[in-house]
Amino acid sequence: QEQVVESGGRLVQVGDSLRLSCVLSGRTMSREIMGWFRQASGKEREFVATISRRGDVTEYGDSVRGRFTISRDNEENTVYLQMNSLKPEDTAVYYCAACSRWAVIMTDQQKYDLWGQGTQVTVSS
């Protein structure tokens, strides 16, 4: 079956770094645009980062640009989100998703067709 599984979320301190992982199965990794999104309590899910099929083009949400880095290893069927200088406002459930649309990168949540269950990241204040 087609599946996306995130891992790596945990409780951290302000200023800490954390790396999330996302494993894709049931699809050819190199064919998928990948993205990270997050949803904080009481808020709408928001765009965090996206990466092109070859990994050469990336885009970030305004709130994380300069602190987070998305990367991918198609051989491992894995996408990563390196999070640095974490802030309390980064606290959220982080979701990984795959997009099969004909585009380079994708920031629109509605265009993603395969989603993971999410992993909780909590940044203490």
Side-chain angles (χ1 to χ4, degrees), residues 63-116:
S63 62
V64 307
R65 188 177 297 109
R67 298 187 298 119
F68 290 11
T69 303
I70 187 172
S71 61
R72 66 191 296 160
D73 186 334
N74 290 345
E75 298 298 324
E76 295 182 353
N77 270 38
T78 304
V79 178
Y80 302 96
L81 184 67
Q82 177 66 46
M83 304 183 292
N84 298 327
S85 302
L86 284 163
K87 306 173 180 179
E89 51 263 45
D90 294 319
T91 295
V93 176
Y94 283 72
Y95 297 91
C96 181
C99 174
S100 301
R101 300 289 292 268
W102 286 29
V104 177
I105 54 173
M106 182 58 67
T107 60
D108 185 350
Q109 297 183 43
Q110 285 68 53
K111 300 298 192 297
Y112 285 80
D113 50 34
L114 184 63
W115 291 80

